[in-house]
Amino acid sequence: MKIIAQLMLLAFLVSSCSKSKTGFVDTQKLFEEYTELTEVQDKYTKLSDEVRSDLEPQIQAFQIKVDLYQQNAATMSPAERQQKEQELGALQQQIQQAQQVRGGQIQQESQAEIDTIIKKVRDFIADYGKKNEYEYIYGKNEGANILYGKEELDLTDEILKELNDKYTSGGKEVSEPAETEKPADSLN
């Protein structure tokens, strides 16, 4: 009798394990097509371009001075050449420092904003999994966490649509995902 009860318990455990609801998200596609993230990336690309544009007159003026120096270097005394080279070196250093400072600020701000978005997306996926009773939602990426997954287990488009709908509907905050009807599947 004990053996039959144990076999029934084992059969129940095996059947419940094989019905775990799982899915995966192609994280590369998600982040390439998520509107909020692409807008932030575009914003900081534009800012970087503006910095380059702002510094362009200084760079051009520096290049003119370098060209003039090269044309006249043969007629200058060694002391004049040395002084001019020091001036040009200092000017070049000022331009490079300005580029580094402004570029560093943009990069730092960009990374902070992107990190915030990534956290929101992760939280959204976790909430989505809880609401839709997933036991696991895996991330598929270049690191090959998932080498193969059944197409019906791919939640990427569904999650991407909800994220973009939530973002473009005026609510820039990502919050609760909608419940969806997805069959319970297993990767076993």
Side-chain angles (χ1 to χ4, degrees), residues 130-141:
K130 288 174 191 169
K131 279 194 178 282
N132 293 287
E133 299 177 354
Y134 280 88
E135 290 185 36
Y136 297 100
I137 296 179
Y138 299 97
K140 177 182 175 186
N141 58 36

Side-chain angles (χ1 to χ4, degrees), residues 7-20 186 188:
L7 286 175
M8 288 178 65
L9 178 62
L10 182 61
F12 173 75
L13 289 173
V14 168
S15 71
S16 66
C17 288
S18 66
K19 292 183 181 173
S20 64
S186 171
N188 295 341

Side-chain angles (χ1 to χ4, degrees), residues 15-68:
S15 71
S16 66
C17 288
S18 66
K19 292 183 181 173
S20 64
K21 190 172 178 182
T22 61
F24 67 92
V25 175
D26 183 337
T27 54
Q28 182 175 348
K29 178 180 179 180
L30 184 73
F31 288 120
E32 285 174 357
E33 297 180 19
Y34 179 37
T35 304
E36 183 177 11
L37 187 61
T38 57
E39 286 178 2
V40 166
Q41 289 169 330
D42 291 346
K43 169 182 150 184
Y44 285 103
T45 298
K46 184 179 176 186
L47 281 173
S48 292
D49 292 344
E50 288 173 7
V51 166
R52 274 190 225 95
S53 293
D54 290 347
L55 292 173
E56 192 60 36
Q58 292 176 13
I59 294 168
Q60 288 175 351
F62 171 74
Q63 190 57 50
I64 289 169
K65 289 179 181 184
V66 168
D67 293 344
L68 230 126

Side-chain angles (χ1 to χ4, degrees), residues 27-41 116-118 120-121 124 159-168 171-175:
T27 54
Q28 182 175 348
K29 178 180 179 180
L30 184 73
F31 288 120
E32 285 174 357
E33 297 180 19
Y34 179 37
T35 304
E36 183 177 11
L37 187 61
T38 57
E39 286 178 2
V40 166
Q41 289 169 330
T116 300
I117 292 169
I118 289 171
K120 283 196 288 188
V121 169
F124 181 88
I159 288 175
L160 184 60
K161 181 183 181 331
E162 285 190 36
L163 280 166
N164 282 330
D165 287 350
K166 184 70 94 179
Y167 178 70
T168 56
K172 296 216 178 208
E173 292 297 314
V174 175
S175 61

